[in-house]
């Protein structure tokens, strides 16, 4: 017995006839929370198990991606809690700098105001007000899903403790010269009016126009091609490759820049590819990252030609034009001067867009704050390479290394008002002071704090240890750091995973923030297409939860979760999972009504029937299999194993095989009732982490226990009975073969047929009553006539089908089907035998015809067998 059931109150069979998730899930979850089942304690003697939750944006709501990852994280923590670990799954939210500021600015716009009308202090107060009133909607939705998080520890990336952590690590990095301020090319969003990092830029193929422009005059001229003609107003050079013979006479000379009064030099730089285009490129250092580097090498001036909104700020005719308006205007002016040497032609090229508002990103020269990532990134790579951190699946390591081994310095300043303000003060005489959390900022006239805030990922990168009280040496930090598992999508390796690795190793003296990084794929629709709000395939998981229950949504998501692979999901699959939860409910209810119990010890093996020994052997093998799959993060496989054990082996076979025993009553019925109780007890425990609501309700009814949340996880007892498994396999073979024959003959499932069973000399003899029960076989009558005889598994099953089917009508129907199948086979063979056809036809057409031939041959074999088995007239 897995838990001393005799300590519990007597179980009751008072279960509703149908499972109603909407009536069960909400109240049950609140009871779990009120009783503190999810709370973790630093003073516990239990070993710790900690999972990092990706903090959702305060602006967010639960989508299928959240539901998917939260289901898997919840399953891991629930299992570990049942295994006796002090499981901590800590909830919280990210302040989401740009997204949240945009929400409030939209509100202000509806009032005809901007943030500048309010001023910084009043605006940030307004954002806090919005956060308190509208933010955190997703936290309530996490409760709907069943997230077993410790709500007593809920954190927010801008609460007092986490803000202290941000200021502390900024100060340490600054003092270690790993944070610096410099003017560089950054990604600028003219809509959000802030710098954004490389990983917040989404690239897509956009249709542009390639324009070829002649610079200079006569022999001192060359042609450059560009898709951004407006930026020529900021050109400060033309570059060619130093070995390009076509332009050697121009290197070092100055040529006229069209539409301006300026001349610009021709410089030689190895960055230029002489094979691409004309081999000459325009250089705009203030508006292109590659050009910026060329400019640094050749000491070129940086000429900024547009403001933060993408409006042209130089050269009279184009002054005040939007960058895209200016593009057309510049091309038109160049055409008038005869400078366009080739017609504009369509050109598909990769263009960066702001991941939040989809505005085309503008490379912009700007003074910003940066993290020097080289030593931090190396440490993050080394931690995986030397085995301190494992990435699962292992083939995802390449993606991780591609990022950390080639990381550029990280621009961490954002031109926003909502966020952690950079703790730098500037003095009247050029002083720069970084202020730590316990230090007073400099006072006096002329001192001002930097106006920018930190990138959101800067604070969320501290999440694994800042939430546990760092920089203080708290009992929580001592107990629960390093965390055990980071389970997250492979799409945020760059955004979040690498940041946490760098900061965790730096702040925690080389101890990585987690021991395993388990990467998942992305949720897609049933056809494999990406789900998007702009597509009609986006699904609100709450709608499915309302319709089918949270357990059904969770089970569907877990069944699709192969490590690192994308997860297709459709409503039909959720409906199938709802059918499974209903099956678990109905079958358990039936078992309880027939005396299933956990009272007392399991009877010894010599008192068990072969059927009892078979299911106990399969039970223990399933426990062992599920444990191994959990440890390998194989959620899809473990869900399939649970599904087939519960539905196929317990409900469809064991319960059905045991019905004659239950109906007969007596001591053997009591034995099987105890075995069934044991099987249900363990089965509900191993199902619980994935479908917690229905299992907790059923288990407490079965055992009288308080809750499955804190019940013990079952161990593999080691009981195996291969002989019983082989014996029941024979029973299954007989039942399956006869069922197939009945179906082929058109018999209804419940239609009873007289039969003679010759089971002598086989292990099947003890199972005749069960076989007859499952196959609806009646005892033979006085006028029994064996019209069909089936040899199977060493036994013989003779059936009397006279009076059950119209033999002559069935023979005519089957003969007609056989003629059609033979015709289909002949036509397919004729086409495949035509070499001219096979040689010219597309591969998919040939494959389709081969498939038709294979099906026709199978149909012929099946129909012929059915005809042979028909009763003789």
């Amino acid at each position: 017995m897995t838990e001393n059931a005799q300590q519990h109150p007597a179980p009751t069979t008072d279960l509703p006839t149908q499972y109603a998730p909407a009536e069960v899930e909400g109240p049950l979850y609140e009871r779990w929370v009120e009783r503190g089942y999810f709370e973790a304690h630093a003073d516990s003697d239990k070993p710790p198990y900690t999972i990092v939750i990706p903090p959702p944006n305060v602006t967010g709501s639960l989508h299928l991606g959240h539901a998917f990852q939260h289901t898997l994280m919840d399953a891991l923590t629930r299992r570990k809690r049942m295994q006796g670990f002090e499981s901590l799954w800590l909830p919280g939210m990210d302040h989401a700098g740009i997204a949240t500021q945009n929400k409030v600015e939209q509100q202000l716009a509806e009032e005809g105001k901007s943030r500048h009308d309010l001023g910084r202090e009043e605006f940030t107060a307004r954002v806090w007000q919005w956060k308190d009133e509208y933010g955190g909607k997703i936290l309530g939705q996490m409760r709907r899903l069943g997230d077993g998080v410790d709500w007593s520890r809920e954190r927010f990336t801008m609460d007092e403790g986490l803000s202290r952590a941000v200021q502390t690590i900024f100060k340490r990095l600054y003092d270690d010269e790993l944070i610096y301020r410099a003017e560089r090319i950054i990604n600028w969003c003219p809509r959000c009016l802030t710098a954004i990092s490389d990983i917040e830029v989404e690239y897509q193929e956009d249709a542009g126009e390639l324009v070829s422009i002649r610079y200079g005059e006569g022999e001192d001229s060359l042609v450059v091609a560009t898709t951004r003609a407006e930026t020529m107003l900021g050109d400060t050079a033309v570059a060619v490759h130093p070995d390009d013979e076509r332009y050697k006479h121009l290197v070092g000379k100055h040529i006229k820049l069209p539409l301006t009064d300026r001349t610009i030099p021709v410089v030689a730089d190895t960055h230029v590819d002489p094979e691409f285009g004309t081999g000459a490129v325009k250089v705009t250092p203030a508006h292109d990252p590659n050009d910026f580097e060329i400019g640094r090498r050749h000491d070129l001036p940086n000429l900024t030609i547009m403001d933060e909104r993408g409006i042209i700020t130089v050269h009279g005719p184009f002054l005040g034009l939007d960058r895209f308006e200016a593009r057309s205007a510049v091309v038109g002016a160049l055409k008038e001067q005869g400078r366009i040497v080739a017609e504009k032609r369509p050109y598909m090229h990769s263009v960066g867009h702001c991941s939040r508002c989809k505005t085309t990103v503008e490379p912009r020269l700007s003074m910003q704050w940066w993290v020097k990532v080289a030593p931090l990134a190396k440490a993050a790579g080394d931690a995986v390479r030397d085995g301190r951190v494992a990435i699962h699946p292992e083939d995802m390591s390449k993606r991780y290394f591609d990022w950390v081994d080639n990381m550029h310095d990280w621009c961490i300043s954002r031109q926003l008002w909502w966020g952690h303000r950079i703790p730098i003060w500037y003095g009247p005489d050029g002083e720069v002071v970084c202020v730590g959390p316990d230090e007073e900022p400099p006072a006096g006239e002329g001192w001002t704090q930097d106006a920018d805030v930190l990138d959101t990922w800067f604070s969320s990168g501290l999440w694994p240890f800042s939430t546990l009280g760092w920089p203080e040496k708290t009992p929580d930090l001592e107990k629960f750091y390093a965390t055990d598992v980071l389970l997250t999508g492979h799409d945020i390796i760059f955004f979040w995973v690498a940041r946490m690795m760098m900061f965790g190793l730096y702040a925690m003296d080389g101890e990585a923030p987690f021991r395993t990084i388990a990467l998942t794929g992305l949720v897609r629709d049933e056809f494999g297409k990406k789900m998007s709000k702009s597509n009609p395939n986006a699904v609100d998981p709450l709608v499915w939860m309302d319709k089918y229950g949270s357990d059904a949504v969770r089970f569907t998501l877990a069944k699709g979760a192969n490590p690192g692979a994308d997860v297709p999901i459709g409503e039909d699959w959720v409906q199938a999972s709802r059918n499974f939860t209903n099956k678990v409910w109905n079958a358990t209810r039936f078992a309880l009504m027939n005396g299933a119990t956990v009272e007392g010890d399991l009877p010894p093996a010599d008192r068990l029937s072969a059927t009892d020994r078979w299911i106990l052997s399969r039970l223990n093998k399933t426990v062992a299999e599920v444990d191994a799959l959990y440890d390998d993060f194989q959620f899809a496989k473990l869900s399939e194993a649970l599904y087939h054990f519960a539905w196929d082996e317990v409900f469809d076979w064991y319960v059905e095989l045991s019905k004659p025993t239950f109906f007969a009553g007596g001591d053997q019925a009591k034995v099987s009732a105890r075995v069934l109780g044991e099987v249900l007890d363990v089965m509900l425990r191993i199902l619980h982490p994935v479908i917690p609501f229905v299992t907790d309700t059923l288990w407490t009814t079965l055992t009288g226990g308080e809750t499955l949340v804190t019940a013990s996880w079952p161990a593999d007892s080691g009981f195996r009975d291969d002989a019983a498994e082989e014996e029941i396999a024979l029973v299954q073979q007989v039942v399956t073969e006869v069922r197939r024959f009945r179906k082929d003959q058109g018999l209804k499932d419940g239609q009873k047929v007289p039969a003679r069973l010759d089971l002598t000399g086989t292990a099947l003899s003890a199972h005749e009553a069960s076989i007859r029960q499952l196959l609806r076989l009646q005892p033979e009558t006085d006028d029994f006539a064996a019209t069909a005889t089936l040899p199977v598994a060493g036994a013989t099953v003779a059936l009397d089908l006279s009076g059950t089917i119209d033999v002559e009508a069935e023979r005519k129907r089957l003969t007609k089907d056989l003629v059609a199948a033979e015709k289909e086979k002949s036509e397919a063979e004729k086409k495949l035998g035509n070499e001219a056809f096979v040689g010219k036809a597309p591969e998919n057409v040939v494959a389709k015809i081969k498939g038709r031939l294979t099906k026709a041959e199978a149909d012929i074999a099946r129909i012929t067998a059915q005809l042979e088995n028909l009763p003789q007239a």
Side-chain angles (χ1 to χ4, degrees):
M1 193 164 52
T2 54
E3 187 167 293
N4 189 354
Q6 292 176 333
Q7 294 179 354
H8 300 318
T12 173
T13 56
D14 186 22
L15 283 172
T17 55
Q18 290 184 323
Y19 179 50
E23 298 174 12
V24 171
E25 292 176 350
L28 180 55
Y29 185 84
E30 292 309 315
R31 186 158 65 249
W32 290 338
V33 174
E34 288 166 7
R35 295 183 179 180
Y37 296 148
F38 303 138
E39 292 179 9
H41 303 283
D43 58 358
S44 166
D45 292 333
K46 297 178 182 178
Y49 182 81
T50 316
I51 277 195
V52 177
I53 189 172
N57 285 355
V58 67
T59 60
S61 59
L62 191 75
H63 57 63
L64 272 175
H66 289 128
F68 168 56
Q69 291 181 358
H70 285 213
T71 293
L72 306 187
M73 287 184 278
D74 192 38
L76 290 173
T77 49
R78 282 179 182 270
R79 172 176 173 257
K80 284 295 184 180
R81 188 180 292 112
M82 294 174 74
Q83 287 181 318
F85 286 79
E86 195 67 24
S87 287
L88 173 60
W89 189 25
L90 187 148
M93 293 181 298
D94 193 290
H95 65 278
I98 295 176
T100 309
Q101 179 156 322
N102 281 347
K103 288 279 187 184
V104 178
E105 289 198 89
Q106 288 167 11
Q107 278 189 345
L108 290 174
E110 292 172 4
E111 301 170 14
K113 298 177 181 177
S114 75
R115 59 173 161 146
H116 299 287
D117 293 322
L118 273 65
R120 184 168 194 143
E121 187 174 341
E122 188 177 343
F123 175 78
T124 52
R126 178 77 174 257
V127 181
W128 277 107
Q129 181 184 343
W130 182 93
K131 181 258 181 187
D132 293 339
E133 189 171 351
Y134 300 105
K137 175 182 177 183
I138 192 171
L139 298 179
Q141 296 167 340
M142 287 163 57
R143 300 170 91 95
R144 283 284 315 279
L145 186 64
D147 282 9
V149 296
D150 184 347
W151 290 109
S152 69
R153 296 171 176 270
E154 182 187 332
R155 303 304 298 268
F156 179 54
T157 51
M158 282 184 62
D159 67 27
E160 185 178 349
L162 271 64
S163 295
R164 178 179 177 81
V166 168
Q167 197 173 354
T168 298
I169 201 161
F170 187 100
K171 170 72 171 173
R172 291 188 186 179
L173 289 165
Y174 181 85
D175 289 346
D176 287 343
E177 298 183 349
L178 293 173
I179 283 183
Y180 64 94
R181 192 173 187 235
E183 191 175 43
R184 299 277 178 82
I185 290 284
I186 46 90
N187 304 297
W188 181 266
C189 177
R191 159 63 182 79
C192 298
L193 298 180
T194 183
I196 57 177
S197 64
D198 291 344
I199 52 180
E200 293 169 297
V201 178
E202 294 178 349
Y203 287 91
Q204 65 186 46
E205 291 295 311
D206 283 2
E209 290 182 328
L210 195 63
V211 182
S212 296
I213 310 167
R214 181 174 297 281
Y215 285 23
E217 306 291 344
E219 290 186 0
D220 291 346
S221 69
L222 39 67
V223 175
V224 300
T226 181
T227 58
R228 302 177 68 217
E230 74 281 4
T231 63
M232 67 158 293
L233 301 173
D235 285 359
T236 56
V238 173
V240 298
H241 194 277
D243 298 332
D244 195 332
E245 294 293 336
R246 293 172 293 177
Y247 303 117
K248 278 197 171 181
H249 68 289
L250 288 177
V251 175
K253 290 186 177 181
H254 281 68
I255 59 175
K256 181 76 180 329
L257 179 65
L259 305 184
T260 73
D261 295 327
R262 294 189 292 119
T263 61
I264 57 176
V266 177
V267 299
D269 196 281
T270 54
H271 172 77
V272 179
D273 180 0
E275 302 298 323
F276 183 77
T278 65
V281 297
K282 57 190 290 298
V283 181
T284 321
H287 293 277
D288 182 274
N290 293 322
D291 292 3
F292 178 75
E293 294 302 324
I294 293 175
R296 292 177 69 179
R297 287 193 288 272
H298 297 277
D299 198 25
L300 300 175
N302 301 316
L303 180 58
T304 299
I305 64 159
M306 64 181 78
D307 67 12
E308 69 274 9
R309 297 182 184 274
I311 304 300
I312 301 298
T313 58
V314 299
H315 204 69
F318 312 108
L319 188 65
L321 293 181
D322 172 80
R323 53 187 169 153
F324 300 117
E325 295 172 335
R327 184 170 302 171
S328 298
V330 166
V331 171
L334 289 167
K335 188 173 289 187
E336 286 182 10
Q337 291 189 5
R339 292 283 176 178
I340 303 296
V341 299
E343 286 298 318
K344 293 185 293 183
R345 62 182 188 275
Y347 182 75
M348 295 298 295
H349 60 137
S350 182
V351 177
H353 296 261
C354 173
S355 61
R356 291 177 178 83
C357 69
K358 311 309 175 187
T359 300
T360 300
V361 168
E362 188 66 38
R364 176 179 172 82
L365 186 63
S366 181
M367 183 68 75
Q368 301 285 346
W369 284 95
W370 304 80
V371 172
K372 186 184 295 182
V373 299
L376 303 173
K378 182 181 184 303
D382 290 346
V384 175
R385 287 189 170 96
D386 64 23
R388 280 175 287 158
V389 178
I391 292 181
H392 189 90
E394 191 176 352
D395 58 10
M396 283 282 176
S397 298
K398 183 180 184 301
R399 186 175 297 197
Y400 176 80
F401 291 132
D402 283 346
W403 179 250
V404 297
D405 293 347
N406 299 285
M407 195 182 297
H408 300 297
D409 282 2
W410 173 19
C411 176
I412 56 171
S413 45
R414 297 293 180 267
Q415 288 64 57
L416 304 171
W417 288 353
W418 172 246
H420 295 101
R421 195 164 175 182
I422 290 176
I424 293 287
W425 268 256
Y426 303 107
D429 298 317
E431 302 96 332
V432 179
V433 176
C434 181
V435 177
D438 297 316
E439 300 171 353
E440 288 294 325
E445 187 176 347
W447 283 93
T448 58
Q449 186 177 0
D450 194 296
D452 290 349
V453 301
L454 288 164
D455 179 9
T456 296
W457 297 102
F458 190 94
S459 51
S460 60
L462 313 182
W463 189 258
F465 51 93
S466 64
T467 52
L468 298 175
W470 187 90
E472 309 305 326
K473 293 182 178 180
T474 63
D476 282 351
L477 195 64
E478 178 69 25
K479 177 79 173 179
F480 296 111
Y481 189 93
T483 68
D484 290 86
V485 178
L486 168 68
L487 188 144
T488 191
H490 59 64
D491 56 322
I492 60 170
I493 289 178
F494 323 123
F495 286 91
W496 193 45
V497 179
R499 310 299 194 207
M500 287 190 290
M501 285 287 282
M502 292 192 302
F503 282 163
L505 289 159
Y506 174 79
M508 298 300 295
D509 299 321
E511 187 175 9
F514 16 77
R515 299 182 179 92
T516 300
I517 301 169
L519 296 171
T520 70
L522 308 179
V523 178
R524 297 183 177 272
D525 72 11
E526 58 195 302
F527 306 107
K529 294 181 180 177
K530 183 178 179 180
M531 286 192 176
S532 169
K533 290 180 181 178
S534 59
N535 294 333
N537 65 350
V539 173
D540 181 351
L542 296 167
V543 173
W544 281 353
M545 287 184 213
D546 289 341
K547 195 171 182 180
Y548 303 111
S550 297
D551 280 339
V553 174
R554 290 170 62 112
F555 196 66
T556 306
L557 291 165
K559 281 185 74 176
N562 289 299
D566 288 348
V567 184
I569 185 172
E571 186 167 3
D572 289 348
W573 305 341
V574 183
Q575 187 172 351
S577 294
R578 187 273 314 273
N579 295 343
F580 175 62
T581 59
N582 285 348
K583 182 77 170 180
V584 173
W585 179 274
N586 294 334
T588 304
R589 185 173 179 274
F590 169 83
L592 288 167
M593 292 172 63
N594 284 274
T597 180
V598 296
E599 294 294 323
D601 294 331
L602 271 175
D606 60 7
R607 289 188 58 200
L608 303 178
S609 68
T611 306
D612 293 335
R613 286 182 279 113
W614 163 73
I615 196 61
L616 289 174
S617 183
R618 289 297 309 132
L619 174 69
N620 281 286
K621 285 183 178 179
T622 301
V623 170
E625 180 184 9
V626 167
D627 272 332
L629 292 170
Y630 259 117
D631 292 340
D632 199 33
F633 304 100
Q634 297 280 358
F635 295 98
K637 290 182 179 179
L638 72 88
S639 298
E640 284 294 329
L642 291 168
Y643 176 89
H644 288 297
F645 176 72
W647 192 307
D648 298 343
E649 296 185 303
V650 178
F651 303 146
D652 280 359
W653 286 108
Y654 180 72
V655 170
E656 294 300 323
L657 287 170
S658 300
K659 278 183 178 178
T661 302
F662 288 132
F663 295 159
D667 290 342
Q668 194 57 47
K670 292 179 181 177
V671 169
S672 291
R674 178 65 188 89
V675 170
L676 180 54
E678 180 76 7
V679 171
L680 290 175
D681 177 13
V682 174
M683 183 197 75
L684 291 170
R685 290 172 194 256
I686 60 177
L687 277 169
H688 175 73
V690 181
I691 49 173
F693 293 106
V694 67
T695 52
D696 192 77
T697 304
L698 292 172
W699 185 84
T700 52
T701 303
L702 169 71
T703 68
E706 182 182 334
T707 181
L708 256 180
V709 178
T710 55
S712 62
W713 182 258
D716 172 11
S717 71
F719 179 84
R720 301 287 189 275
D721 195 321
D722 293 337
E725 290 196 43
E726 291 172 6
E727 185 174 325
I728 300 305
L730 292 176
V731 175
Q732 292 172 325
Q733 186 179 348
V734 170
V735 172
T736 301
E737 289 296 325
V738 176
R739 277 177 174 168
R740 184 180 295 117
F741 175 77
R742 287 177 56 109
K743 184 178 181 182
D744 289 344
Q745 301 306 317
L747 296 177
K748 295 178 181 178
D749 290 342
Q751 192 169 353
K752 296 182 178 180
V753 178
R756 178 189 302 134
L757 273 62
D758 182 3
L759 309 177
T760 307
T762 72
L764 296 166
S765 56
H767 302 282
E768 180 169 349
S770 297
I771 292 171
R772 286 186 177 276
Q773 171 80 22
L774 288 164
L775 291 171
R776 306 293 189 267
L777 301 180
Q778 293 180 314
E780 53 188 296
T781 56
D782 293 339
D783 57 348
F784 179 84
T787 58
T789 302
L790 303 175
V792 56
T796 302
V797 179
L799 304 174
D800 182 356
L801 300 181
S802 57
T804 60
I805 59 173
D806 185 335
V807 177
E808 201 53 42
E810 185 66 9
R811 192 181 304 279
K812 286 181 180 178
R813 183 185 72 80
L814 289 171
T815 301
K816 182 179 178 182
D817 290 346
L818 181 62
V819 170
E822 288 173 338
K823 181 181 178 183
E824 176 75 0
K825 178 188 175 188
S826 176
E827 290 178 352
E829 287 177 332
K830 184 177 180 181
K831 286 185 177 180
L832 293 173
N834 184 338
E835 292 183 6
F837 169 78
V838 173
K840 293 180 180 179
E843 287 185 17
N844 65 317
V845 173
V846 175
K848 188 175 182 181
I849 294 171
K850 287 180 178 178
R852 285 167 50 189
L853 175 60
T854 301
K855 183 178 183 302
E857 290 173 339
D859 287 344
I860 291 169
R862 175 179 56 79
I863 296 167
T864 300
Q866 289 177 245
L867 283 166
E868 290 173 353
N869 283 313
L870 279 176
Q872 300 300 313

